[in-house]
């Protein structure tokens, strides 16, 4: 069983930056594909970014490409999401997720392909 705890959310002005962290407890963190999703009220959860177990490959939604960076530190059981040049439309609850099974399409993963989820952290970007 893996437990994920996100932190780092908050209120920021448009153009600003935030770094989200997600720390995992449980075994074999280095074996998991890790991802970030986000959700706003009334909408489905949306893929943001994902990273392979080694950190060698990363994938991003088009809406965040060039502004967000996902990374991981397997020694610290932590995955990060650096968010730069934030826009009001980035406002959402951000969720960290972990997948042990292979994900068929890493460039566009589905939320049901991740077995474990954090509780979410709110990011609000003011205009």
């Amino acid at each position: 069983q893996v437990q994920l705890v996100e932190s780092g959310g908050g209120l920021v002005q448009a153009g600003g930056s935030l770094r989200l962290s997600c720390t995992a407890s449980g075994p074999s963190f280095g074996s998991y594909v890790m991802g970030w999703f986000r959700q706003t009220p009334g909408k489905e959860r949306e893929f943001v970014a994902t990273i392979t177990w080694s950190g060698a490959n990363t994938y991003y939604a088009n809406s965040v490409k060039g502004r967000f960076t996902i990374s991981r530190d397997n020694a610290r059981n932590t995955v990060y999401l650096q968010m730069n040049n934030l826009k009001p439309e980035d406002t959402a609850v951000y969720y960290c997720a972990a997948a042990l099974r292979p994900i068929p399409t890493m460039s566009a993963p589905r939320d049901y392909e991740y077995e474990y989820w954090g509780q979410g952290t709110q990011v609000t970007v003011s205009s």
Side-chain angles (χ1 to χ4, degrees):
Q1 186 75 13
V2 174
Q3 291 185 325
L4 305 173
V5 178
E6 301 101 332
S7 61
L11 173 64
V12 64
Q13 288 188 331
S17 298
L18 283 174
R19 187 175 82 154
L20 305 183
S21 299
C22 171
T23 301
S25 61
S28 305
F29 174 79
S31 302
Y32 287 85
V33 170
M34 299 298 297
W36 288 95
F37 286 74
R38 64 188 182 187
Q39 189 171 25
T40 54
K43 293 190 175 182
E44 292 186 354
R45 200 150 42 184
E46 173 191 27
F47 164 67
V48 175
T50 195
I51 186 168
T52 53
W53 66 271
S54 68
N57 299 99
T58 58
Y59 303 85
Y60 299 92
N62 288 335
S63 58
V64 306
K65 204 171 291 184
R67 300 187 298 121
F68 290 13
T69 302
I70 188 172
S71 62
R72 67 190 296 162
D73 184 343
N74 287 345
R76 297 179 183 271
N77 280 14
T78 301
V79 62
Y80 304 98
L81 185 68
Q82 178 66 44
M83 305 185 294
N84 297 330
N85 191 22
L86 282 160
K87 304 176 181 180
E89 51 264 41
D90 295 318
T91 295
V93 177
Y94 283 71
Y95 296 92
C96 171
L100 183 59
R101 294 188 296 267
I103 293 178
T105 307
M106 286 290 287
S107 59
R110 306 296 181 90
D111 58 1
Y112 58 78
E113 292 170 335
Y114 293 79
E115 291 101 319
Y116 303 104
W117 291 84
Q119 82 289 349
T121 185
Q122 176 71 46
V123 171
T124 303
V125 184
S126 63
S127 57

